[in-house]
Amino acid sequence: MGCLAHVHVSTVSGLDMEEFREAMKKIMGNVEDEDLDIIFMKVDTNCDGTVDWDEYLNYMLLEYREKDSLQKQNIPLYFPKPLKVVPVPQCEPIVRIQFHPYQAPQADKKVGEKGAVPKTRMHGRYLTVSRDGILNYWSERFKLTRTINLDHLKRTQLSSSSQPIWVTDMICLSNLNLLALASTGRDVEFFDISANKCDIVFALTGLDGYVVVMDYWTDGTKGIFCAGDVDGAISVFISHDVLHYGLFNSGAMKPIKSGGRARLAVPALLKNTSKCYLCFKVALHNEWCHQIRFLPELNAVATCCASDQTAMVLTSIPHSHKAKVYNSAFQLRKGILCFDYSAEFNIIVTGGFDRIVRVWNPYVTNCATCQMKGHSAAVTHISVNGKINKIISISKDKNVRVWDLQDCACLQNIHSRNMPMGRFPIFSAHYNPDTHILVMSTFLIGVLHGVVDDVDSIDKMKTSHEHSLCTALYNPNFKQVVSGCHNGVISVWDIMTGEKMMQFQTSPERAVEVTAMSFDGPKRRLITGSKDGVIRLWNFNNGALLLTLPLVDENEVTGILYINQRIYVSGWSKRVMWYLDVKEDMEIEYRVWNQYHAEDIYSMHVHGGKMLVTASYSGDIIVWNIDSGRAFCRFNAYESPRPLMPNRVIDLNRNLEACESRLTVPSRQSDEEEEEDMDELEGLHFAFPEAGQKSSGQTEDLENKRSNKSPRPKSKEKVKPEPINAEELEKPRLAVEKALFLGTRERSPDTAILLTSAADGHIYAWSIHHQGGLLGKFKAVHSEGTSISSMSTDCQDQMLLTGDSQGYIMLWNIGKYCYCMQGGQEAPSQQKGAVNLPSLIPKYCRLEGPRRTVTHAAQEVIDGWTVSLVPPPLLSSWRCHVKNIVSVEYVEHFHLIVTASLDCNVRLWTIAGGTFGQAPWRVGNPMAFPWDLPIDLRRIGSSQTLKVLNRGSRPHWHCTRRILNALRFQRKQASSSAADNLEQVTTDPRIAEYTDEQIEQTWKEWAVKGKQKSLILGQTYKPKVRHHLPTCPPDLQSSFSSREQLRVYKTIPYSNLLPIIQPPVPDLLKEQLQKTQEGADASKHIKQKRLSKRAPMRFLAASKAVCRKNMVTRLFTK
């Protein structure tokens, strides 16, 4: 770098490409020029041909920053699913969780050793014990299978006192089928858990303090049992052959009574009277031990406590009872509450009251190698998985964090609000590194399932983007594919390996859909257009925003082209505009062309830098002169096959806004351009009130505009909405989805240089000549209701690639299609060294069966104009995606196809292909290319798709043939068994007494009279009811807007509802209802009489009150 800076100082203007190569070779050594040129083009985004020191540093810093953020974003969550809470049938907290495998774990042997067996997943069950001694057995899916009250067993069988005790710890001795239980009774009891029994076998007694933590380790032969008590002392019991001699010396075992349990005195064991055993006890801590564990790689027992001086102690295992026991103490303020050891990295990970996760070198005790901060409470449980470089820590506030062991960064943070396990802290935790399952307990059990790389995870669909894509572009300079999605995310992929190189957000404030993308002329910058109309320029190699163009229109952008140092933009504004590409310091110049579209513009393409074509929702295709900005030709397949005059469209609302802005903003048009615009106003079509229809108001506006007099504003009146006419309903079918120029062809009356795709699934070939028109059309889809959504060709225009709304791609040979149809010239000759692309398509890719294209007529005459209906030869077709294909592009250098779809995938294809972001590959190496079919296509792919993607082979046809033969054989057996049954029925003496006529007569009587009995066939006989399904499914078509596949379901057979028959009303109930009705009528009559008598009295009282008021008012007036 110093050399590069020195060269920059000597050349203040910057380094050109040659100087940049020399400077980089001095730094990096022997590097290919092509790689250095790629770096130079990435840094030189302004395309001035030079790179200075500031540009280089800015590029490198931004690239590393974006790659770092990309790496963090792409890391999947280790616990993707929420916590599963398992209820527990007890009231006390669970103090320990253990996993008990069905098969005892064997000693780990390295690959190549004698007797080494590949390690497989251990199946077993989980055991939990509560503080009051309730032992529960759980399946691997945490279904409760058994419950045992251990405290009850001890009181009823062996214990002399009935005082309840608290369980402090539990450990499983899997190879011995024993369960060790420590409690406040100062005894460690061992239970036999083989089969379905749980009986106490023996107990360790004579301990100075009750045991709080235990651990057991075995390699299949040697066994080590460790225990730490409340006083800070540890006891270690070693058996050199645990299967043959047992874990403890049986000579110290003393039975109490016949049928009672055996008791092992710890002082007797510590005498070490047998060479097969080794026992020792060491006082290490001045507080009670929080955790104990034997580390076979270090041949030491690790313990921890909340003391500063002896936070963690490593105690070496002596080779004999006479050898000295060595200790190594780790000092840490506030002590250590939990730890775990990683044999892969030879490190110890700890957590404590200071809320910091530390990583220690076991041979360096004075300081930790690294620290990880993030917890807001004391870290009480910790686990490490060195195989996947993960650390899992749990704090007292039930906060679970997953850390990266190499970067020491937090990968996942599960907040306590997402841990619905009550108000109490986590009492116990068990992590299984083989199954990636973390089990925690309070009064409940919580289970977190980690990501497991097995068949189930492989079957889960991986997509290139999280949202649907808008387009994908190939950059030949950097051999990269750039894709954009509806969430505003741009991803850059390496086409050689399929690896994601860069990812950035186009609108960090809020996600705005990216709707159009394009490269600039040198293909070093990316131009994006969004749904809100904003145009941005990016350095897509490092995600740096270079420039934001002025916002002229807030409508959606659907097309962007870079032509002759200008950026052309079109979209839902129905207009075409361009921006001049200038340097950063200069003012950006732009201009808006006159409007000739009455509907939204869907597609835009260029021919040779001189002609521009735009296609709209209404079916209009406008061809423009780029130099003058004038529309000189219009096509519409549903109006005429010949060229039409373009109709100028004026939006009255937009014109009023423009007039108001001209009062304050100087115009960018010259006087000559304004005169030209005024001359073109004759015969214009206005977009208000309706395009293509003239009204009296339009003629008045034209006259007023010519005389420079503005019309008087009219009063606003409520206008009733007009009903939608047939033309509006036909517009979705007339919409032109894509327009594509054939750049190698020249304009002539009998040569088509423009291809357009309509929503009805047809492709139209047009001659742009004034004597030309529609030369040919053909249907390029398999089914009705499908449209062509994307098209592209190779650089020689030999092959046309089309993608439809159902996810199918088709390859057409268009070298001679609609070329010099009147004769006189041959097909365009290929350039020297060019490859004949149709010859690369194998024969097995040819379409067969009902999906092949069939033409019933060779041509069609429309208004005296002959249109060819013969399609070009179809080379191949298969299904690439399950949804609409939004982009398809041919990569010339590698003969590959890049497709993007609404199913969130970008895929690379040869004959078979892969998905970006799913499986890595290596272009050019057939052995490293993913030939496996994508899972979604494997499920719904047709026989043609599977044949093409399997390179002509039919791997499933042999299996299908065997299944059909087996079904045919079963059908034959069923028919033969039915004939045998018929013979048996006819030979039955009870049936043989009657003739067929008699049996038929009894059946008719049963059917007519409705009797559920047949005199001959019996009472329970019922004929079979057969529901005939229709011979063909109903013709269901999806609408053009949805473009989704309809799912047809079989209806359930049913019968018509019978009329409801009301039961007769008893006479007694009728009499009672009549009496109640008469009583109600009588009471109503009495009330009416009373009201009639009280009415005159109320009237007299009211009249008297009125008279009194009148007298009072007269007195006051006098």
Side-chain angles (χ1 to χ4, degrees), residues 724-741:
I724 301 176
N725 52 20
E727 295 181 358
E728 291 291 331
L729 294 176
E730 286 292 321
K731 280 184 179 180
R733 192 174 63 86
L734 310 178
V736 178
E737 295 281 338
K738 198 72 176 177
L740 179 67
F741 269 123

PDB file of all heavy atoms in Angstrom, residues 724-741:
ATOM      1  N   ILE A 724     -68.154   0.631 -17.374  1.00  0.00           N
ATOM      2  CA  ILE A 724     -66.973   0.183 -18.103  1.00  0.00           C
ATOM      3  C   ILE A 724     -67.411  -0.443 -19.419  1.00  0.00           C
ATOM      4  O   ILE A 724     -68.251  -1.349 -19.448  1.00  0.00           O
ATOM      5  CB  ILE A 724     -66.180  -0.830 -17.263  1.00  0.00           C
ATOM      6  CG1 ILE A 724     -65.758  -0.187 -15.945  1.00  0.00           C
ATOM      7  CG2 ILE A 724     -64.969  -1.335 -18.023  1.00  0.00           C
ATOM      8  CD1 ILE A 724     -65.050  -1.147 -15.017  1.00  0.00           C
ATOM      9  N   ASN A 725     -66.844   0.083 -20.511  1.00  0.00           N
ATOM     10  CA  ASN A 725     -67.218  -0.437 -21.817  1.00  0.00           C
ATOM     11  C   ASN A 725     -66.392  -1.673 -22.170  1.00  0.00           C
ATOM     12  O   ASN A 725     -65.500  -2.090 -21.438  1.00  0.00           O
ATOM     13  CB  ASN A 725     -67.053   0.644 -22.889  1.00  0.00           C
ATOM     14  CG  ASN A 725     -65.656   1.271 -22.846  1.00  0.00           C
ATOM     15  OD1 ASN A 725     -64.736   0.665 -22.308  1.00  0.00           O
ATOM     16  ND2 ASN A 725     -65.518   2.464 -23.389  1.00  0.00           N
ATOM     17  N   ALA A 726     -66.686  -2.224 -23.323  1.00  0.00           N
ATOM     18  CA  ALA A 726     -66.019  -3.454 -23.748  1.00  0.00           C
ATOM     19  C   ALA A 726     -64.545  -3.230 -24.032  1.00  0.00           C
ATOM     20  O   ALA A 726     -63.712  -4.126 -23.835  1.00  0.00           O
ATOM     21  CB  ALA A 726     -66.703  -4.020 -24.995  1.00  0.00           C
ATOM     22  N   GLU A 727     -64.177  -2.011 -24.474  1.00  0.00           N
ATOM     23  CA  GLU A 727     -62.770  -1.744 -24.771  1.00  0.00           C
ATOM     24  C   GLU A 727     -61.919  -1.796 -23.503  1.00  0.00           C
ATOM     25  O   GLU A 727     -60.800  -2.296 -23.506  1.00  0.00           O
ATOM     26  CB  GLU A 727     -62.630  -0.383 -25.452  1.00  0.00           C
ATOM     27  CG  GLU A 727     -63.292  -0.327 -26.828  1.00  0.00           C
ATOM     28  CD  GLU A 727     -63.109   1.027 -27.470  1.00  0.00           C
ATOM     29  OE1 GLU A 727     -62.505   1.902 -26.813  1.00  0.00           O
ATOM     30  OE2 GLU A 727     -63.559   1.221 -28.609  1.00  0.00           O
ATOM     31  N   GLU A 728     -62.451  -1.248 -22.408  1.00  0.00           N
ATOM     32  CA  GLU A 728     -61.702  -1.286 -21.151  1.00  0.00           C
ATOM     33  C   GLU A 728     -61.522  -2.714 -20.651  1.00  0.00           C
ATOM     34  O   GLU A 728     -60.491  -3.063 -20.079  1.00  0.00           O
ATOM     35  CB  GLU A 728     -62.424  -0.451 -20.087  1.00  0.00           C
ATOM     36  CG  GLU A 728     -62.409   1.044 -20.359  1.00  0.00           C
ATOM     37  CD  GLU A 728     -61.005   1.625 -20.211  1.00  0.00           C
ATOM     38  OE1 GLU A 728     -60.239   1.060 -19.424  1.00  0.00           O
ATOM     39  OE2 GLU A 728     -60.699   2.618 -20.884  1.00  0.00           O
ATOM     40  N   LEU A 729     -62.554  -3.551 -20.863  1.00  0.00           N
ATOM     41  CA  LEU A 729     -62.448  -4.944 -20.422  1.00  0.00           C
ATOM     42  C   LEU A 729     -61.447  -5.729 -21.256  1.00  0.00           C
ATOM     43  O   LEU A 729     -60.882  -6.710 -20.792  1.00  0.00           O
ATOM     44  CB  LEU A 729     -63.831  -5.607 -20.501  1.00  0.00           C
ATOM     45  CG  LEU A 729     -64.888  -5.062 -19.543  1.00  0.00           C
ATOM     46  CD1 LEU A 729     -66.218  -5.751 -19.801  1.00  0.00           C
ATOM     47  CD2 LEU A 729     -64.475  -5.272 -18.098  1.00  0.00           C
ATOM     48  N   GLU A 730     -61.219  -5.301 -22.508  1.00  0.00           N
ATOM     49  CA  GLU A 730     -60.304  -6.017 -23.373  1.00  0.00           C
ATOM     50  C   GLU A 730     -58.853  -5.589 -23.177  1.00  0.00           C
ATOM     51  O   GLU A 730     -57.940  -6.250 -23.670  1.00  0.00           O
ATOM     52  CB  GLU A 730     -60.692  -5.793 -24.851  1.00  0.00           C
ATOM     53  CG  GLU A 730     -61.921  -6.557 -25.289  1.00  0.00           C
ATOM     54  CD  GLU A 730     -61.668  -8.054 -25.324  1.00  0.00           C
ATOM     55  OE1 GLU A 730     -60.566  -8.452 -25.730  1.00  0.00           O
ATOM     56  OE2 GLU A 730     -62.548  -8.816 -24.923  1.00  0.00           O
ATOM     57  N   LYS A 731     -58.618  -4.498 -22.444  1.00  0.00           N
ATOM     58  CA  LYS A 731     -57.255  -3.986 -22.319  1.00  0.00           C
ATOM     59  C   LYS A 731     -56.285  -4.971 -21.690  1.00  0.00           C
ATOM     60  O   LYS A 731     -55.137  -5.064 -22.120  1.00  0.00           O
ATOM     61  CB  LYS A 731     -57.260  -2.668 -21.551  1.00  0.00           C
ATOM     62  CG  LYS A 731     -57.662  -1.477 -22.424  1.00  0.00           C
ATOM     63  CD  LYS A 731     -57.557  -0.175 -21.649  1.00  0.00           C
ATOM     64  CE  LYS A 731     -57.932   1.000 -22.537  1.00  0.00           C
ATOM     65  NZ  LYS A 731     -57.834   2.286 -21.815  1.00  0.00           N
ATOM     66  N   PRO A 732     -56.652  -5.726 -20.638  1.00  0.00           N
ATOM     67  CA  PRO A 732     -55.687  -6.698 -20.114  1.00  0.00           C
ATOM     68  C   PRO A 732     -55.227  -7.712 -21.139  1.00  0.00           C
ATOM     69  O   PRO A 732     -54.086  -8.150 -21.106  1.00  0.00           O
ATOM     70  CB  PRO A 732     -56.450  -7.353 -18.959  1.00  0.00           C
ATOM     71  CG  PRO A 732     -57.467  -6.358 -18.554  1.00  0.00           C
ATOM     72  CD  PRO A 732     -57.861  -5.646 -19.800  1.00  0.00           C
ATOM     73  N   ARG A 733     -56.103  -8.061 -22.073  1.00  0.00           N
ATOM     74  CA  ARG A 733     -55.723  -9.026 -23.099  1.00  0.00           C
ATOM     75  C   ARG A 733     -54.873  -8.376 -24.179  1.00  0.00           C
ATOM     76  O   ARG A 733     -54.073  -9.040 -24.838  1.00  0.00           O
ATOM     77  CB  ARG A 733     -56.987  -9.635 -23.712  1.00  0.00           C
ATOM     78  CG  ARG A 733     -56.738 -10.852 -24.575  1.00  0.00           C
ATOM     79  CD  ARG A 733     -58.046 -11.460 -25.014  1.00  0.00           C
ATOM     80  NE  ARG A 733     -58.803 -10.545 -25.844  1.00  0.00           N
ATOM     81  CZ  ARG A 733     -58.641 -10.440 -27.176  1.00  0.00           C
ATOM     82  NH1 ARG A 733     -57.746 -11.175 -27.786  1.00  0.00           N
ATOM     83  NH2 ARG A 733     -59.371  -9.606 -27.866  1.00  0.00           N
ATOM     84  N   LEU A 734     -55.004  -7.061 -24.367  1.00  0.00           N
ATOM     85  CA  LEU A 734     -54.246  -6.366 -25.396  1.00  0.00           C
ATOM     86  C   LEU A 734     -52.882  -5.915 -24.911  1.00  0.00           C
ATOM     87  O   LEU A 734     -52.059  -5.471 -25.708  1.00  0.00           O
ATOM     88  CB  LEU A 734     -55.022  -5.129 -25.880  1.00  0.00           C
ATOM     89  CG  LEU A 734     -56.488  -5.342 -26.280  1.00  0.00           C
ATOM     90  CD1 LEU A 734     -57.113  -4.024 -26.691  1.00  0.00           C
ATOM     91  CD2 LEU A 734     -56.581  -6.334 -27.425  1.00  0.00           C
ATOM     92  N   ALA A 735     -52.615  -5.964 -23.628  1.00  0.00           N
ATOM     93  CA  ALA A 735     -51.381  -5.411 -23.068  1.00  0.00           C
ATOM     94  C   ALA A 735     -50.164  -6.083 -23.682  1.00  0.00           C
ATOM     95  O   ALA A 735     -50.115  -7.297 -23.859  1.00  0.00           O
ATOM     96  CB  ALA A 735     -51.375  -5.581 -21.557  1.00  0.00           C
ATOM     97  N   VAL A 736     -49.166  -5.271 -24.000  1.00  0.00           N
ATOM     98  CA  VAL A 736     -47.897  -5.753 -24.529  1.00  0.00           C
ATOM     99  C   VAL A 736     -46.928  -5.863 -23.360  1.00  0.00           C
ATOM    100  O   VAL A 736     -46.541  -4.857 -22.763  1.00  0.00           O
ATOM    101  CB  VAL A 736     -47.343  -4.813 -25.610  1.00  0.00           C
ATOM    102  CG1 VAL A 736     -45.999  -5.321 -26.114  1.00  0.00           C
ATOM    103  CG2 VAL A 736     -48.325  -4.706 -26.758  1.00  0.00           C
ATOM    104  N   GLU A 737     -46.540  -7.085 -23.029  1.00  0.00           N
ATOM    105  CA  GLU A 737     -45.688  -7.318 -21.874  1.00  0.00           C
ATOM    106  C   GLU A 737     -44.228  -6.974 -22.155  1.00  0.00           C
ATOM    107  O   GLU A 737     -43.528  -6.458 -21.276  1.00  0.00           O
ATOM    108  CB  GLU A 737     -45.787  -8.788 -21.452  1.00  0.00           C
ATOM    109  CG  GLU A 737     -47.145  -9.215 -20.950  1.00  0.00           C
ATOM    110  CD  GLU A 737     -47.378  -8.787 -19.517  1.00  0.00           C
ATOM    111  OE1 GLU A 737     -46.400  -8.548 -18.800  1.00  0.00           O
ATOM    112  OE2 GLU A 737     -48.540  -8.681 -19.129  1.00  0.00           O
ATOM    113  N   LYS A 738     -43.749  -7.269 -23.363  1.00  0.00           N
ATOM    114  CA  LYS A 738     -42.329  -7.098 -23.650  1.00  0.00           C
ATOM    115  C   LYS A 738     -42.148  -6.709 -25.109  1.00  0.00           C
ATOM    116  O   LYS A 738     -42.870  -7.189 -25.997  1.00  0.00           O
ATOM    117  CB  LYS A 738     -41.581  -8.418 -23.366  1.00  0.00           C
ATOM    118  CG  LYS A 738     -40.089  -8.270 -23.209  1.00  0.00           C
ATOM    119  CD  LYS A 738     -39.733  -7.593 -21.910  1.00  0.00           C
ATOM    120  CE  LYS A 738     -38.222  -7.544 -21.705  1.00  0.00           C
ATOM    121  NZ  LYS A 738     -37.857  -6.821 -20.471  1.00  0.00           N
ATOM    122  N   ALA A 739     -41.186  -5.823 -25.357  1.00  0.00           N
ATOM    123  CA  ALA A 739     -40.789  -5.427 -26.710  1.00  0.00           C
ATOM    124  C   ALA A 739     -39.292  -5.647 -26.844  1.00  0.00           C
ATOM    125  O   ALA A 739     -38.522  -5.278 -25.947  1.00  0.00           O
ATOM    126  CB  ALA A 739     -41.149  -3.972 -26.978  1.00  0.00           C
ATOM    127  N   LEU A 740     -38.861  -6.227 -27.978  1.00  0.00           N
ATOM    128  CA  LEU A 740     -37.461  -6.610 -28.142  1.00  0.00           C
ATOM    129  C   LEU A 740     -37.041  -6.360 -29.582  1.00  0.00           C
ATOM    130  O   LEU A 740     -37.679  -6.831 -30.533  1.00  0.00           O
ATOM    131  CB  LEU A 740     -37.283  -8.096 -27.803  1.00  0.00           C
ATOM    132  CG  LEU A 740     -35.879  -8.673 -27.932  1.00  0.00           C
ATOM    133  CD1 LEU A 740     -34.955  -8.065 -26.896  1.00  0.00           C
ATOM    134  CD2 LEU A 740     -35.914 -10.185 -27.790  1.00  0.00           C
ATOM    135  N   PHE A 741     -35.974  -5.570 -29.760  1.00  0.00           N
ATOM    136  CA  PHE A 741     -35.386  -5.326 -31.077  1.00  0.00           C
ATOM    137  C   PHE A 741     -34.372  -6.428 -31.389  1.00  0.00           C
ATOM    138  O   PHE A 741     -33.645  -6.903 -30.502  1.00  0.00           O
ATOM    139  CB  PHE A 741     -34.675  -3.974 -31.112  1.00  0.00           C
ATOM    140  CG  PHE A 741     -35.560  -2.839 -31.549  1.00  0.00           C
ATOM    141  CD1 PHE A 741     -35.735  -1.739 -30.733  1.00  0.00           C
ATOM    142  CD2 PHE A 741     -36.196  -2.865 -32.777  1.00  0.00           C
ATOM    143  CE1 PHE A 741     -36.524  -0.681 -31.128  1.00  0.00           C
ATOM    144  CE2 PHE A 741     -36.998  -1.809 -33.183  1.00  0.00           C
ATOM    145  CZ  PHE A 741     -37.162  -0.712 -32.359  1.00  0.00           C
TER     146      PHE A 741
END
